[in-house]
């Protein structure tokens, strides 16, 4: 049975005197630079397998939305730029 301070059977003072095992580095400590690089790429592939990829139809829809949005923003910036250009010509002649 335990409480907030520690085990009833083993007081806190004895917990401090026990030595903890030193960790040797696990898998990473045993491999050289090429082994760590291979592990890194294996982890990348494992994470990419977890990704939920869009279907072709979703991808087409998303791409169309982005292209339309970019064209609208280009038009808006062009109109604002032309307005500023005319305002500067009016003010400075």
């Amino acid at each position: 049975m335990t409480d907030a301070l520690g085990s009833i059977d083993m007081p806190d003072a004895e917990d401090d005197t026990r030595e903890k095992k030193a960790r040797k580095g696990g898998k990473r400590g045993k491999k050289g630079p090429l082994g760590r690089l291979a592990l890194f790429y294996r982890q990348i592939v494992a994470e990419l397998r977890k990704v939920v990829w869009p279907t072709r139809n979703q991808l087409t829809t998303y791409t169309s939305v982005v292209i339309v949005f970019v064209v609208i923003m280009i038009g808006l910036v062009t109109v604002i730029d032309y307005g500023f250009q005319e305002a500067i010509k009016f003010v400075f002649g």
Side-chain angles (χ1 to χ4, degrees), residues 10-85:
M10 186 176 293
D12 289 337
E14 291 180 19
D15 288 342
D16 293 338
T17 58
R18 287 189 297 154
E19 293 181 25
K20 295 181 180 179
K21 289 185 177 181
R23 193 166 176 200
K24 297 282 181 171
K27 292 180 181 178
R28 283 184 252 166
K30 297 177 184 177
K31 297 183 180 178
L34 292 178
R36 289 194 306 256
L37 188 62
L39 174 64
F40 176 70
Y41 283 116
R42 279 196 305 271
Q43 290 173 346
I44 289 174
V45 170
E47 289 298 322
L48 285 175
R49 286 185 179 144
K50 296 178 188 177
V51 173
V52 178
W53 298 100
T55 62
R56 184 174 299 272
N57 190 24
Q58 289 174 328
L59 189 62
T60 304
T61 303
Y62 297 157
T63 303
S64 301
V65 168
V66 168
I67 290 173
V68 168
F69 177 75
V70 168
V71 168
I72 289 171
M73 293 307 296
I74 288 172
L76 182 65
V77 169
T78 302
V79 168
I80 292 172
D81 185 48
Y82 180 74
F84 280 135
Q85 179 183 354

